[in-house]
Amino acid sequence: MATTSSSPRPSARRLTETPARVLRPAAIGIALLVNLAYVLVLTDVAGYDLRTPAGFGQPAQSILISVVIAASVVPALLGWGLLELLERFVPRRATVIWEALTALVFVASLPYNGAGVTASDQLLLALMHLIVGVAVIPAFVITSLRRS
């Protein structure tokens, strides 16, 4: 007769026990890889000319892979640094404060009406932001809650 235990599968247990120093950079790496795949499929396979809005005196231009890399990694690293500071100075409220700030930054960073971009461009760029958020935010929150 087989017995079953109520403990999680070994692979699930390893994930929940994975330390923040491993899970957080892994989440950033996953966000970057998924975003790169998304842009490459969109531009190279589908042939779509994804454009960034005009800004800082520059006209709208086709998106560059270097911009995708920077836009995927830099905000995530800044968010990680902010979360680490909050965990150090206000450990009991760090996650709540960080989540509120993350929501504000996410909404503020969405591509709104910009010269030279279409509604399709805005939607596709917003999906890139969402990809990073979906990969990074839950991983950071889970690791932060485990520390409290």
Side-chain angles (χ1 to χ4, degrees):
M1 173 187 266
T3 60
T4 60
S5 69
S6 62
S7 65
R9 296 184 322 261
S11 60
R13 191 176 320 117
R14 266 182 289 179
L15 181 60
T16 58
E17 294 172 358
T18 305
R21 69 179 185 279
V22 174
L23 192 56
R24 289 177 181 176
I28 294 171
I30 289 167
L32 173 62
L33 292 175
V34 172
N35 238 353
L36 285 173
Y38 169 75
V39 170
L40 290 174
V41 166
L42 192 63
T43 57
D44 291 346
V45 176
Y48 189 83
D49 183 27
L50 185 61
R51 302 181 66 74
T52 59
F56 304 109
Q58 299 291 327
Q61 55 191 11
S62 295
I63 198 159
L64 303 171
I65 292 297
S66 59
V67 173
V68 174
I69 293 169
S72 297
V73 174
V74 172
L77 290 174
L78 291 172
W80 184 4
L82 176 62
L83 182 56
E84 290 284 337
L85 287 171
L86 290 169
E87 288 171 341
R88 178 170 296 211
F89 294 109
V90 286
R92 298 188 72 207
R93 310 284 293 163
T95 306
V96 173
I97 294 169
W98 187 82
E99 286 177 321
L101 291 172
T102 301
L104 288 172
V105 169
F106 178 75
V107 170
S109 71
L110 289 175
Y112 296 106
N113 294 336
V117 295
T118 64
S120 297
D121 288 334
Q122 292 173 3
L123 175 64
L124 295 171
L125 289 169
L127 287 173
M128 291 175 62
H129 289 240
L130 190 59
I131 287 169
V132 174
V134 165
V136 171
I137 294 170
F140 285 17
V141 169
I142 288 168
T143 56
S144 182
L145 290 174
R146 271 195 261 143
R147 287 184 172 188
S148 350

